[in-house]
Amino acid sequence: MDAAMMKTILEIDALRSLDTTSVNSTDGDSLFAEIFSEILAQTQASDNVESALLKAIDNFSEENGLNDEVKNYLSNYLLSNPNPYITKAYEKVINNAGSATESVGASATATDAKYLDIVKKASARFGVPEKLILAVIKQESNFNPNAVSSAGATGLMQLMPGTAKYLGVSNLKDPEQNIMGGTKYLRQMLDQFNNNFELALAAYNAGPGNVKKYGGIPPFKETQNYVKKVLTYYKNM
């Protein structure tokens, strides 16, 4: 173990010993952000980043619980700073860190649970939070891979044929192709609108041109309701 790694672990252990009985969720988020920033500053090798992050989460959650603020902090960090090593660590957190697993897994019904593996794969590939992908699927098709709208949008993430072709999706009703294509498109919308969930979702629903035209969520009742519903699903998962 190198000196930087040892220093990080000692600092995390010191933070763990702090009296956190009065820390609320917002303060917990701030404390975790400090721990996380310190890890990135003190670790260089990919395996050190991954192991230090997992250790920090273990220590932090014993005192504060792995609350939604921490999970959202990690998700938002990855959206702004895509990094394969941090993504790998975050995947382990979601898969193995108790409450985080429950947050995504417990929201899956018998109908949609079979798509979780694909969602996890899409999340890792494109850096989009699993919960956001699941929330979009819930709103778009209610997890029906054969859903077709009156406008011709098809599949779990309701891709239009032209968009699907652009994304390289050949079979709109194939769950893996549809989720991968839809997540790729959602990633593109997040990139266009500075990782703003509301604007990215509005663009997914009404097209990026309309979001730019109106300088925000377009004044379409359907789109406004769409954004609200998806974000509600996202927050409740």
Side-chain angles (χ1 to χ4, degrees), residues 15 19 22 24 28 34-35 51 57 73 86 94 102 105 120 123 154 184 188 201 209 215 218 226 231 237:
L15 284 166
D19 179 7
S22 64
N24 60 31
E34 291 179 14
I35 297 173
S51 60
I57 289 169
Y73 178 84
I86 304 300
I94 294 299
E102 293 170 5
K120 289 177 185 295
S123 173
T154 302
K184 180 179 180 180
Q188 291 174 357
L201 290 170
Y226 176 88
L231 289 178
M237 282 186 173

Side-chain angles (χ1 to χ4, degrees), residues 135-183:
V136 170
I137 295 173
K138 172 66 177 176
Q139 176 60 26
E140 291 286 359
S141 67
N142 198 27
F143 297 93
N144 178 5
N146 298 312
V148 180
S149 75
S150 58
T154 302
L156 290 167
M157 297 188 75
Q158 290 289 279
L159 299 178
M160 293 294 289
T163 303
K165 184 177 181 181
Y166 161 73
L167 295 168
V169 176
S170 59
N171 183 352
L172 283 165
K173 293 185 178 180
D174 177 78
E176 181 157 3
Q177 286 194 42
N178 197 288
I179 292 174
M180 286 296 178
T183 304

Side-chain angles (χ1 to χ4, degrees), residues 1-11 38 41-44 48:
M1 181 182 298
D2 61 28
M5 182 62 174
M6 177 63 75
K7 181 177 183 294
T8 300
I9 291 176
L10 290 173
E11 288 172 343
E38 187 65 26
Q42 295 296 332
T43 57
Q44 299 298 324
N48 284 350

Side-chain angles (χ1 to χ4, degrees), residues 50-126:
E50 182 183 335
S51 60
L53 175 57
L54 291 172
K55 182 174 178 63
I57 289 169
D58 284 343
N59 291 342
F60 183 88
S61 61
E62 285 184 17
E63 300 291 346
N64 300 282
L66 192 60
N67 53 43
D68 288 338
E69 286 77 12
V70 171
K71 288 180 281 184
N72 289 339
Y73 178 84
L74 288 172
S75 296
N76 291 332
Y77 178 88
L78 283 171
L79 287 174
S80 303
N81 305 273
N83 180 306
Y85 305 126
I86 304 300
T87 298
K88 186 177 180 183
Y90 178 63
E91 284 179 336
K92 287 190 175 182
V93 171
I94 294 299
N95 290 333
N96 302 321
S99 60
T101 303
E102 293 170 5
S103 177
V104 175
S107 67
T109 65
T111 301
D112 59 85
K114 58 187 175 183
Y115 302 124
L116 282 176
D117 286 343
I118 302 173
V119 169
K120 289 177 185 295
K121 187 188 302 183
S123 173
R125 180 175 300 179
F126 298 109

